[in-house]
Amino acid sequence: MRRQRLKLLALIAIFAVPMIVAWAMVEWRIGIPEQRTAHGELAPEVPGLAEWPLDGGRDALKPGDWVLAFDCSRDCEMLADQWWRLHRALGREAPRVSRLRIGGEGPALPGESLAQWARTPDWQTPGRLWVLDPRGEVVLTYTGEVEARDVLDDVNRLLRMNRDNPGASELEVGQR
């Protein structure tokens, strides 16, 4: 009878101890990293791309792509070149990302879509960059003073964590 009770207590401990340890970690902040993994800011108040007051530009974006949208109302030539270089630095992941330049003068750089603000929204500031997911929702936002290296780190992390479905192309081949 004693052996059965020990087995029951061991079984209860297997499930209870991790819960107690997790609760203690959260309650007393033990073993939880304090560092940030993203350099950008979350912006839940920014609506999805479909609701942005834009003239043009959205139709040229490829469906299913991540989007780097940036406001080009000041220092446009420098910003456009900076985000073009970042796009090139993505290497083999670059085809998964599109760039949307909002505002500014001059022709579009390769792989860039142009749009203008129909009206300026209250959440927009000059030089701001937004990273949007394939559904058009804002994932991260950056001020105009952000380092391109920090944005590259974040975009690489997002692309790595959100891989394309590798089985999708195999499924299409199998259906032919």
Side-chain angles (χ1 to χ4, degrees), residues 69-74 76 79 83 100-103 117 124-130:
F70 60 98
D71 179 78
C72 207
S73 56
R74 68 167 190 209
C76 189
L79 283 175
W83 302 132
L100 176 63
R101 183 175 84 190
I102 305 170
W117 292 114
Q124 179 268 343
T125 55
R128 186 159 289 276
L129 171 75
W130 300 273

Side-chain angles (χ1 to χ4, degrees), residues 37-99:
T37 56
H39 299 93
E41 303 166 11
L42 298 176
E45 72 279 355
V46 177
L49 183 61
E51 299 171 30
W52 288 15
L54 295 177
D55 288 333
R58 278 187 281 240
D59 299 336
L61 298 173
K62 293 187 294 185
D65 272 5
W66 288 79
V67 178
L68 292 175
F70 60 98
D71 179 78
C72 207
S73 56
R74 68 167 190 209
D75 301 327
C76 189
E77 188 174 319
M78 191 249 340
L79 283 175
D81 183 61
Q82 176 181 2
W83 302 132
W84 176 79
R85 290 176 188 278
L86 178 133
H87 195 191
R88 298 286 298 168
L90 290 171
R92 69 176 192 194
E93 297 290 349
R96 294 179 58 196
V97 178
S98 297
R99 287 186 333 277

Side-chain angles (χ1 to χ4, degrees), residues 17-34:
V17 169
M19 295 297 290
I20 293 169
V21 169
W23 176 80
M25 287 176 69
V26 169
E27 191 66 28
W28 292 305
R29 308 293 296 167
I30 299 170
I32 298 175
E34 296 294 327

Side-chain angles (χ1 to χ4, degrees), residues 140-152:
L140 293 171
T141 181
Y142 302 88
T143 63
E145 293 79 35
V146 68
E147 291 288 324
R149 181 179 299 124
D150 293 340
V151 177
L152 180 62

